[in-house]
Amino acid sequence: MKRISVIAPIYNEKENIQLLVEKIKTTLKDRFTSYEIILVDDGSTDGSSELIEKIASTDPHIKDYHFTKNNGQTAALSAGFKYCTGDIVVTMDSDLQTDPEDIYLMLPYLDKYDMVNGKRTTREDGFKRKISSLIGNGVRNFITKDNIKDTGCPLKLFKKEVVKSFYLYEGMHRFLPTLAKINGFSVVEVPVHHFDRMYGKSKYGVWNRLWKGLKDAFAVRWMSKRKINYVLKESR
């Protein structure tokens, strides 16, 4: 059985952390003998960092990394990608709005694809966020010439070589499927469940997502148009 890494960025999610870890462990322990849960604290101020450190000290499957200040979700994922050791890499948010069990809905697709992007079948987080997500995905696809329906879904599966190929800049967590394609990997979207928050508040609003995403979309388009492609002649 291959080794799996689950990466969860955390920013002020103290009420969710213990349940998050328990759900991930319950999901993985019976089917993966080798796994790790990577918790990246993104400069939390609500006691999340201390709780993460405490949980990690009692479980060798859990690795904890702590930023000295809030650097954003892309930075947290980048750190997780750098230090993960799994053959399969999973990303998910720490707000419990996606279910670790859905990993097994997505896992079979890694036989044919390099990355599996979750696509939320319902959105249980309010009308404003639904509309902003719909507009955001449409604008991003229009600018980047991609066709990903739900690039913002936090539940994603990757083969190890995909995440190791990424060199991320601020805001690039919104474009991981597109970046994977730019790097020559295959991507598929698979429907997953989505739930309302039990605890805490969203860290994103309509306007901060829209304007940042618009700026970053043009950066990704620039990258895709300037990707270096060459073929070497066969050696004699």
Side-chain angles (χ1 to χ4, degrees):
M1 179 64 72
K2 293 182 177 180
R3 179 170 173 80
I4 189 170
S5 302
V6 178
I7 302 169
I10 294 172
Y11 179 60
N12 290 345
E13 296 282 1
K14 185 178 180 180
E15 294 173 301
N16 291 318
I17 294 170
Q18 188 69 54
L19 184 55
L20 170 74
V21 170
E22 289 173 0
K23 280 194 168 190
I24 296 174
K25 287 175 63 176
T26 299
T27 299
L28 299 182
K29 66 181 182 180
D30 292 333
R31 305 196 206 183
F32 287 91
T33 55
S34 180
Y35 70 89
E36 63 182 359
I37 303 170
I38 298 178
L39 306 177
V40 183
D41 176 60
D42 187 17
S44 295
T45 58
D46 69 339
S48 290
S49 182
E50 292 79 5
L51 179 57
I52 292 167
E53 191 171 12
K54 179 180 178 181
I55 293 172
S57 68
T58 62
D59 191 330
H61 291 290
I62 299 174
K63 296 181 179 179
D64 58 318
Y65 299 93
H66 304 260
F67 291 166
T68 57
K69 64 177 182 179
N70 179 242
N71 291 289
Q73 190 171 353
T74 303
L77 287 174
S78 181
F81 291 159
K82 179 178 180 179
Y83 294 110
C84 69
T85 60
D87 304 293
I88 299 167
V89 180
V90 178
T91 62
M92 62 182 299
D93 280 352
S94 53
D95 56 16
L96 298 174
Q97 289 193 259
T98 50
D99 187 352
E101 279 290 335
D102 283 350
I103 290 172
Y104 298 109
L105 295 177
M106 305 166 76
L107 197 57
Y109 289 88
L110 286 182
D111 291 338
K112 294 184 177 180
Y113 297 90
D114 301 309
M115 175 184 172
V116 187
N117 191 75
K119 181 171 64 176
R120 292 164 286 191
T121 53
T122 59
R123 290 296 302 271
E124 304 297 335
D125 47 12
F127 179 74
K128 285 186 177 180
R129 291 199 69 188
K130 291 177 184 178
I131 292 298
S132 68
S133 179
L134 181 64
I135 294 173
N137 281 303
V139 170
R140 280 191 289 269
N141 283 336
F142 177 77
I143 294 173
T144 62
K145 307 301 181 185
D146 206 346
N147 61 353
I148 299 297
K149 301 299 183 185
D150 191 9
T151 188
C153 180
L155 187 59
K156 296 174 166 63
L157 270 66
F158 310 80
K159 292 180 180 177
K160 174 177 61 178
E161 53 266 31
V162 179
V163 302
K164 299 302 183 182
S165 77
F166 288 145
Y167 190 95
L168 301 180
Y169 294 87
E170 183 179 350
M172 292 294 101
H173 68 276
R174 301 181 185 92
F175 301 90
L176 294 179
T178 304
L179 295 175
K181 290 181 181 181
I182 290 174
N183 289 345
F185 297 104
S186 56
V187 179
V188 66
E189 282 190 287
V190 174
V192 297
H193 299 94
H194 191 247
F195 306 94
D196 200 1
R197 265 185 174 271
M198 295 176 60
Y199 307 104
K201 296 180 180 180
S202 172
K203 311 305 184 293
Y204 297 101
V206 174
W207 296 109
N208 66 355
R209 289 162 61 94
L210 177 61
W211 297 117
K212 288 182 180 179
L214 184 63
K215 177 184 66 175
D216 296 336
F218 281 108
V220 171
R221 180 175 178 176
W222 182 92
M223 292 166 60
S224 66
K225 286 182 172 294
R226 285 158 177 79
K227 178 178 172 58
I228 296 173
N229 290 296
Y230 57 84
V231 178
L232 295 175
K233 290 183 178 180
E234 294 185 5
S235 301
R236 294 180 180 177

